[in-house]
Amino acid sequence: MKRLLAMIRARLLEVVRDRSALAWNLLFAPLLVVGMAVVFSGSPPPLFKVGVLGESPLTAQTHPFLATEATQFYREPDLEKAVVKLQRHRIDLLLDPSARPLRYWVNTESAKGRLLQSMLKGGDPDARAQPVTGTSIRYSDWLVPGLLGLNIMFSSLFAIGHVIVRYRKSGYLKRLNGTPLRAVEFISAQLIACLLLIVGIAAGMYAATDLFLHLRMEGSYFNLLLVAVLGSMSMIAMSLLISARIASEELSGGLLNLLSWPMVVLSGVFFSLDGAPAVVQAAAQALPLTHMLEAARAVMIDGAGLADIARPLLALAAMTALFLAIGAGFFRWSQD
């Protein structure tokens, strides 16, 4: 019993003496509570999302269906772009209340869309369905790129950040500092090794998923590989930025969680941000996972070429260069 109590006391003293980790642990819970309160305050999130064409007020005076509960109605300025969102399961229904009778577009592959259609026809039997040109995709074709991207994100952030912090804590980096190895060479080696592992695992997961779900693939596999490589590099570089100076595994874990959860919520893994406030959509553009998923879905679903995905690729390349430059500049070999 004495030995057990001694070990408990030693562990508690270790935590208390690690001031950075202790401060983070004390701050993380309040920050998490505040963040959850901001995100989930107000009315409950809607079950359905409906795009509305035209400038008519989004009220029941325009059409009784616009008063449907648990449904978010927002304006869509462009019909063609709105139909594409409908096909991609980013919205559940599209309405044109200015037409008489009311016109609507529905993706027949969407269960939510079919349910909304039944509710609409129940209150307005004269509402006319409009043809949706092009091929409607399955929800799995839209969701799987997000899940693969999510796996790449967690692997990129946590596979290398903890390793470097452990190297520094154990003194391994201090011994390396006695060699001609430079910080930028060490960081580049870590990035390349981690990149090979993550992209290889992601490719295996894609192949296994495709075997069972027969994923839609309209574009080039080379372009998809390029998206995976640049996306992984940007998030590995982000992890190196966090682990450049930290010597506490607890603190690095907390900071990596702080980076990963906004990407889970805001990058469009499970649902789109159409109709969300402009500030939320702008914040999502600062996250590398957003650009990776945008480019991957464009290649897989729309058959986009390199010119079509140049913007997200350039954004990922710029983030990688910025994170690597800052990480190399702030890199510390020892915890002293």
Side-chain angles (χ1 to χ4, degrees):
M1 180 58 73
K2 288 184 177 179
R3 291 193 293 271
L4 176 63
L5 294 175
M7 290 305 300
I8 294 174
R9 180 173 180 275
R11 177 56 184 157
L12 291 175
L13 286 175
E14 183 182 5
V15 173
V16 171
R17 287 168 181 168
D18 186 347
R19 294 180 181 176
S20 57
L22 180 63
W24 171 252
N25 287 328
L26 293 176
L27 287 174
F28 182 70
L31 287 175
L32 185 63
V33 170
V34 171
M36 298 287 281
V38 171
V39 172
F40 296 106
S41 61
S43 56
L47 294 176
F48 308 104
K49 185 178 293 186
V50 177
V52 181
L53 298 170
E55 299 298 327
S56 303
L58 304 181
T59 61
Q61 284 70 35
T62 301
H63 193 279
F65 184 71
L66 294 175
T68 303
E69 295 184 358
T71 304
Q72 178 189 3
F73 295 94
Y74 75 99
R75 298 190 187 283
E76 276 288 352
D78 188 278
L79 173 60
E80 290 187 8
K81 292 181 179 178
V83 170
V84 171
K85 292 178 182 178
L86 189 70
Q87 293 172 323
R88 305 300 184 257
H89 298 262
R90 291 169 60 178
I91 60 177
D92 302 310
L93 197 69
L94 179 63
L95 298 178
D96 182 5
S98 61
R100 292 292 179 272
L102 178 143
R103 299 188 304 166
Y104 69 92
W105 292 256
V106 62
N107 182 348
T108 55
E109 295 287 337
S110 168
K112 286 185 175 180
R114 295 196 302 272
L115 178 58
L116 283 173
Q117 182 185 28
S118 300
M119 295 165 63
L120 174 63
K121 296 290 286 184
D124 185 357
D126 296 330
R128 291 184 179 178
Q130 301 300 304
V132 177
T133 57
T135 306
S136 297
I137 66 168
R138 300 171 300 171
Y139 182 59
S140 58
D141 291 323
W142 189 85
L143 179 64
V144 167
L147 295 179
L148 292 176
L150 195 64
N151 180 71
I152 287 176
M153 182 203 72
F154 279 118
S155 300
S156 300
L157 290 180
F158 288 91
I160 193 168
H162 280 299
V163 173
I164 292 182
V165 171
R166 192 174 69 244
Y167 283 170
R168 183 176 294 112
K169 195 172 182 179
S170 66
Y172 177 69
L173 290 184
K174 192 173 183 178
R175 292 193 293 275
L176 279 181
N177 194 27
T179 71
L181 187 69
R182 294 181 300 171
V184 66
E185 293 170 336
F186 172 78
I187 288 179
S188 298
Q190 297 298 318
L191 187 150
I192 293 171
C194 193
L195 180 65
L196 291 174
L197 288 172
I198 290 173
V199 173
I201 292 173
M205 291 180 64
Y206 175 88
T209 308
D210 187 44
L211 187 65
F212 292 101
L213 296 180
H214 306 292
L215 298 173
R216 183 188 180 107
M217 183 59 189
E218 298 292 337
S220 162
Y221 283 103
F222 173 79
N223 290 347
L224 185 61
L225 176 64
L226 184 61
V227 171
V229 168
L230 280 176
S232 301
M233 286 178 64
S234 65
M235 287 182 277
I236 293 171
M238 179 183 279
S239 175
L240 290 170
L241 178 64
I242 294 296
S243 58
R245 300 185 69 85
I246 294 173
S248 167
E249 291 167 321
E250 290 84 357
L251 179 59
S252 68
L255 291 174
L256 291 172
N257 272 316
L258 193 64
L259 288 177
S260 59
W261 282 106
M263 286 195 270
V264 173
V265 176
L266 299 179
S267 292
V269 176
F270 301 104
F271 52 85
S272 76
L273 293 180
D274 295 307
V279 64
V280 175
Q281 298 191 31
Q285 292 301 311
L287 305 173
L289 185 59
T290 302
H291 298 283
M292 188 174 75
L293 295 186
E294 178 186 344
R297 284 175 174 142
V299 171
M300 294 176 66
I301 297 174
D302 301 324
L306 283 178
D308 301 314
I309 57 175
R311 188 186 60 81
L313 291 184
L314 287 174
L316 291 173
M319 288 181 183
T320 303
L322 177 66
F323 296 151
L324 278 180
I326 298 175
F330 282 90
F331 188 78
R332 189 172 67 175
W333 291 98
S334 66
Q335 56 181 332
D336 300 327

